Amino acid sequence: METVTTAAVETVALRKSFGGVVVLDGLTMRVARGSVHALLGPNGAGKTTTVRILATLAAPDGGTARVLGHDVVRDRRRVRRTISLAGQHAALDDHQTGAENLEMMARLTGVPRAAARRRAADLLDRFDLAAAGGRRVVTYSGGMRRRLDLAASLVGQPSVIFLDEPTTGLDPRSRRGLWEVVGELAGAGVTVLLTTQYLEEADRLADRISVLHGGRLAAEGTATELKQRFGAHRLELTLRDTDRFAEVARRLGDRVANRDPARLELEVSTDGTGPRVRHLLDEVDPDRRGITRFHVRTATLDDVFLTLTGQSAPADRREAAGV
């Protein structure tokens, strides 16, 4: 008998260790049906391990995990009938063509031959691979292989799809194309759980975001909620010379959020309001001769990431559109 639940994915006190190294340390989270939910976190935070457990590819050491009400340990077959997984590495047959790979996947899910061909053609077109569909996969570029692997994950029209860093290796145009596909899936009622280190990707796609750190849930909420709770506006100051830089840094003390002596730049947290910004400027530059330029920057997910994990996201992951 199926368990009635509003959550598509649910974990409670999930634990997993490898060789004595704790990877998941009591992870509890819920993913709403028909939503896009992003898992953020530094390398080693437990994102991929969480996905592998939910996809029944690894067994937890403790706690429980359910997909559409099915326990991932006791009801593995039921879970597998409802999900699809696109991992970090493409699972393709290099000696088949792109079309043959997709047709084979469709046939393995029980789709009749003619329907499998139509499904393959539709997906090749959707992922901008129609012109390469007749070529063997061994001739594909890395980005093309990634797009084909993602297309293969949609062959069976799953109710829940796990995307483990799905846009790694994709060019900006292909990445935006995938974003559109994810939006279409969610619009059609499919639940999407994706791991990513591209902060803009999570900001743009996810209805909710879970930030993992040290195998635990550090925070969860919408992008806006997380920015409000853990981010902060920053007042960026550019000083006239090294003496002024040193003096302002001394005045601010431990309120300095970031400093770049080579560029004579300092950052300090602020609420972004006019009175507060004016007060800070008057405090650090009372004679109004030391600051050559200032800028108020709104909170970003990178600020959230830094606050919760103690480190910034890698520079090439902060803004996917610039990659």
Side-chain angles (χ1 to χ4, degrees), residues 92-148:
L92 303 167
D93 186 339
D94 283 347
H95 300 292
Q96 290 188 323
T97 66
E100 288 169 344
N101 267 276
L102 296 183
E103 290 173 24
M104 176 185 68
M105 297 288 187
R107 293 288 287 152
L108 289 173
T109 64
V111 177
R113 189 178 302 277
R117 290 199 191 98
R118 291 194 297 271
R119 181 68 176 153
D122 288 344
L123 287 168
L124 287 170
D125 185 62
R126 192 174 189 180
F127 283 85
D128 197 24
L129 289 169
R135 286 168 40 194
R136 289 196 304 160
V137 173
V138 71
T139 68
Y140 282 21
S141 67
M144 293 170 67
R145 291 172 62 89
R146 190 62 178 147
R147 299 205 307 273
L148 183 63

Side-chain angles (χ1 to χ4, degrees), residues 199 203 223 226-227 230-232 297-305:
L199 302 185
D203 204 347
L226 291 174
K227 290 173 190 176
F230 302 103
R297 180 172 63 82
T298 58
T300 66
L301 278 183
D302 191 55
D303 298 323
V304 174
F305 199 94

Side-chain angles (χ1 to χ4, degrees), residues 19-50:
V21 177
V22 177
V23 179
L24 292 178
D25 189 14
L27 177 63
T28 296
M29 70 174 189
R30 289 168 59 88
V31 177
R33 294 188 186 221
S35 69
V36 180
H37 196 109
L39 295 184
L40 282 180
N43 290 333
K47 303 185 301 295
T48 295
T49 299
T50 300

Side-chain angles (χ1 to χ4, degrees), residues 60 76 156 262 290 296:
R76 292 176 64 197
V296 178

Side-chain angles (χ1 to χ4, degrees), residues 237-253:
L237 306 172
T238 302
L239 285 305
R240 184 174 302 280
D241 52 42
T242 55
D243 290 340
R244 293 283 186 163
F245 178 89
E247 174 61 19
V248 172
R250 184 191 64 77
R251 287 176 181 268
L252 289 172

Side-chain angles (χ1 to χ4, degrees), residues 63-236:
T64 59
R66 293 183 175 85
V67 177
L68 296 179
H70 305 307
D71 187 279
V72 299
V73 176
R74 296 194 304 268
D75 303 320
R76 292 176 64 197
R77 290 186 179 181
R78 288 186 176 182
V79 171
R80 290 182 175 184
R81 284 199 292 266
T82 64
I83 68 169
S84 185
L85 167 66
Q88 294 182 19
H89 305 287
L92 303 167
D93 186 339
D94 283 347
H95 300 292
Q96 290 188 323
T97 66
E100 288 169 344
N101 267 276
L102 296 183
E103 290 173 24
M104 176 185 68
M105 297 288 187
R107 293 288 287 152
L108 289 173
T109 64
V111 177
R113 189 178 302 277
R117 290 199 191 98
R118 291 194 297 271
R119 181 68 176 153
D122 288 344
L123 287 168
L124 287 170
D125 185 62
R126 192 174 189 180
F127 283 85
D128 197 24
L129 289 169
R135 286 168 40 194
R136 289 196 304 160
V137 173
V138 71
T139 68
Y140 282 21
S141 67
M144 293 170 67
R145 291 172 62 89
R146 190 62 178 147
R147 299 205 307 273
L148 183 63
D149 190 46
L150 293 168
S153 72
L154 298 177
V155 162
Q157 298 179 303
S159 299
V160 178
I161 182 167
F162 301 116
L163 302 178
D164 194 10
E165 300 201 14
T167 59
T168 298
L170 296 187
D171 58 75
R173 179 170 176 268
S174 297
R175 184 172 290 117
R176 287 191 293 271
L178 176 65
W179 290 351
E180 292 177 4
V181 171
V182 170
E184 292 170 4
L185 290 171
V190 177
T191 302
V192 180
L193 177 63
L194 67 93
T195 75
T196 182
Q197 290 188 54
Y198 291 113
L199 302 185
E200 187 201 12
E201 186 163 274
D203 204 347
R204 180 176 296 199
L205 291 179
D207 299 301
R208 291 186 71 79
I209 298 169
S210 293
V211 183
L212 305 189
H213 183 52
R216 296 184 176 184
L217 182 65
E220 185 175 271
T222 66
T224 299
E225 290 170 346
L226 291 174
K227 290 173 190 176
Q228 290 173 344
R229 289 164 55 198
F230 302 103
H233 289 73
R234 298 287 180 88
L235 177 61
E236 300 177 345

